[in-house]
Amino acid sequence: MQIERIEPGETGAIEWPAIDKDKRSVVTVGNFDGMHRGHQAIIEKTVRLAKKHDCMSIVIMFDNTVCKADKNADKVADKVADKRNAAQNILTDISDRIKIIEKSGADRLYIIKYTFAFSRTTYISFLGQLVGRAGMRTLVLGKDAHMGADRMGDVKAVKRMAEATGVFELEAIEDSGPEFVRIPADFKPEAPEEDGEPKDILSNMNKAEKRAWTKKHNCKKYRAWSSTNVRFLLSRGRIKDANEILGRCHAIRGTVVHGLKRGRELGFPTANLDGIMQYIPVDGVYAGRLIDEGIENEMQNTAHPRVYPAAISIGAKSTFDDCNERSVEAFALCDDWIDLYGHRVSLEFEGFIRPQRRFCNAEELIEALKQNAQYVRENVTV
């Protein structure tokens, strides 16, 4: 797969990579921030159509990192920046998204840096560029897709343009997966109170109770296979349900830094992560894996990373009065001490073990850590 990184000019204009003028393409466009099973279905459809029509398959993805808001940016651009600059909203690291797209068999991937100027490009102008510069004959979108300034280019608008111009076709694929879910507007993380994988609180409610709950929490309607639903599930500790939508384990990535070494003193040395850019699940203790990708900037071990079962802790170390800051750390189950300082590490989440608790003394904490480790041994494979 050929990968092109594109940074728009000061006016938002794009200099598109050169392609064979006689070669037509099937294109899909999106953030693909979650790269969940719905996103994967759209990309796979793009590749299949391209092969069917002997075309080139092109995936266009937007870089989540944009310029910070400045005083001259208009309100729309500010809104776009606030949304896209929120690191906690990123579900899947861009490097992982690239790997998934490459596995799909796509011919080309264009990664466009999302800038303020580019955000003002109309969907009509953008689609015209895809036809004229990328040879687009077919555009593949999900039925709830939007594009262009002010998100004016929904599927209906794009379909009207395709029919009016006759220069490209729109393939709006049927929504994949389950139907819809109701999610509270502006939801905040809520940690489970009980041990074990959390359940859907609506599962035991009758219709009247569900209506009352959704009204009380000002719920909005979302596709079950959506990035918003994945974030909501992670914010409740519902790891297994989130992983089902993603089609893989949710993962976060960071650099191992020095901590207070409390875990080492207790006999459970942990890797403390800094610089995490993906959505961090709600506070609690989780079963998962630690994947050592090697020393940052040296690409060491990335081809064959070391993988360990791990107990992952998110939250403050409330047993100790001097540890009130939220942290992410993982205890890797291995025979020998491993020095991970300065290494890039990924943490994959398999399931929720228990909420964070304040223990009366170190002995109680050690016993809980032993139980966490035993749960991981029995439930996580590598």
Side-chain angles (χ1 to χ4, degrees):
M1 180 176 72
Q2 182 176 336
I3 302 174
E4 302 278 357
R5 293 182 178 270
I6 302 171
E7 183 165 353
E10 293 184 359
T11 63
I14 287 178
E15 186 162 339
W16 294 92
I19 63 171
D20 185 345
K21 293 182 179 180
D22 296 327
K23 189 72 172 178
R24 305 295 286 167
S25 64
V26 179
V27 180
T28 188
V29 181
N31 293 320
F32 304 118
D33 59 323
M35 197 51 80
H36 51 67
R37 291 166 69 181
H39 290 153
Q40 293 173 45
I42 293 171
I43 294 170
E44 290 165 1
K45 179 71 171 181
T46 302
V47 174
R48 287 199 304 272
L49 282 175
K51 290 180 178 179
K52 178 181 178 180
H53 297 293
D54 192 26
C55 292
M56 179 168 53
S57 53
I58 299 177
V59 178
I60 297 177
M61 181 171 67
F62 301 115
D63 190 336
N64 300 80
T65 305
V66 299
C67 302
K68 294 182 178 180
D70 59 51
K71 295 180 180 179
N72 297 321
D74 60 32
K75 293 182 179 179
V76 173
D78 282 336
K79 186 176 181 180
V80 170
D82 289 341
K83 181 179 180 181
R84 298 185 186 278
N85 265 333
Q88 67 269 23
N89 279 339
I90 300 174
L91 282 174
T92 307
D93 186 274
I94 196 165
S95 63
D96 291 329
R97 282 180 264 165
I98 292 172
K99 291 176 184 176
I100 293 171
I101 294 171
E102 190 166 24
K103 286 181 180 179
S104 74
D107 295 312
R108 289 196 177 194
L109 170 62
Y110 296 162
I111 304 173
I112 299 178
K113 187 175 180 63
Y114 203 94
T115 64
F116 290 132
F118 177 73
S119 75
R120 305 311 302 143
T121 304
T122 67
Y123 76 92
I124 295 174
S125 173
F126 185 67
L127 292 175
Q129 293 176 50
L130 293 182
V131 172
R133 303 299 300 277
M136 183 177 71
R137 75 174 300 280
T138 304
L139 174 65
V140 181
L141 296 175
K143 286 197 171 181
D144 59 352
H146 293 76
M147 65 171 60
D150 302 326
R151 293 169 55 84
M152 295 295 291
D154 61 11
V155 167
K156 290 182 179 180
V158 174
K159 183 177 180 181
R160 286 196 298 269
M161 180 176 173
E163 292 174 345
T165 61
V167 294
F168 73 95
E169 297 177 349
L170 173 65
E171 184 80 20
I173 72 169
E174 293 292 334
D175 294 313
S176 304
E179 291 299 320
F180 298 93
V181 292
R182 300 282 181 173
I183 299 176
D186 302 321
F187 62 85
K188 300 294 188 296
E190 292 184 10
E193 297 180 355
E194 305 293 334
D195 292 3
E197 193 72 16
K199 304 296 183 183
D200 181 0
I201 64 171
L202 300 179
S203 60
N204 294 324
M205 294 184 184
N206 58 39
K207 290 184 178 180
E209 290 171 332
K210 289 179 180 179
R211 283 195 297 269
W213 187 88
T214 56
K215 183 176 181 181
K216 177 182 177 181
H217 292 87
N218 189 26
C219 290
K220 295 183 179 180
K221 187 177 179 181
Y222 290 92
R223 292 290 313 179
W225 282 8
S226 67
S227 298
T228 299
N229 192 27
V230 174
R231 294 185 191 99
F232 175 71
L233 294 171
L234 295 174
S235 77
R236 267 55 182 173
R238 293 171 57 187
I239 298 298
K240 293 185 182 299
D241 289 336
N243 288 348
E244 174 64 23
I245 297 171
L246 290 171
R248 64 188 183 281
C249 290
H250 176 61
I252 59 178
R253 179 179 282 113
T255 302
V256 178
V257 297
H258 289 275
L260 297 174
K261 297 181 173 58
R262 292 284 191 185
R264 186 183 300 185
E265 294 172 2
L266 298 171
F268 293 86
T270 59
N272 293 264
L273 266 64
D274 190 26
I276 298 169
M277 292 298 293
Q278 297 82 41
Y279 190 97
I280 301 174
V282 72
D283 289 3
V285 179
Y286 298 85
R289 299 175 189 82
L290 183 152
I291 303 171
D292 175 21
E293 299 178 355
I295 298 175
E296 190 172 15
N297 300 326
E298 291 187 10
M299 301 301 291
Q300 177 181 326
N301 296 329
T302 54
H304 303 286
R306 295 179 292 178
V307 183
Y308 307 94
I312 304 166
S313 176
I314 300 174
K317 306 176 185 68
S318 57
T319 300
F320 304 100
D321 292 334
D322 59 345
C323 301
N324 295 318
E325 292 186 6
R326 191 181 193 223
S327 64
V328 177
E329 55 185 329
F331 169 61
L333 277 63
C334 55
D335 296 330
D336 300 311
W337 158 257
I338 50 175
D339 185 357
L340 296 174
Y341 293 122
H343 286 220
R344 290 290 285 175
V345 162
S346 289
L347 301 180
E348 289 185 346
F349 294 83
E350 276 278 5
F352 185 87
I353 300 178
R354 64 168 176 82
Q356 290 287 0
R357 296 191 180 97
R358 184 183 180 90
F359 297 93
C360 295
N361 51 55
E363 288 72 23
E364 285 190 6
L365 175 57
I366 290 173
E367 182 58 31
L369 295 175
K370 289 180 180 178
Q371 293 177 11
N372 298 341
Q374 185 60 31
Y375 182 93
V376 173
R377 288 190 185 94
E378 295 174 354
N379 292 277
V380 177
T381 58
V382 296

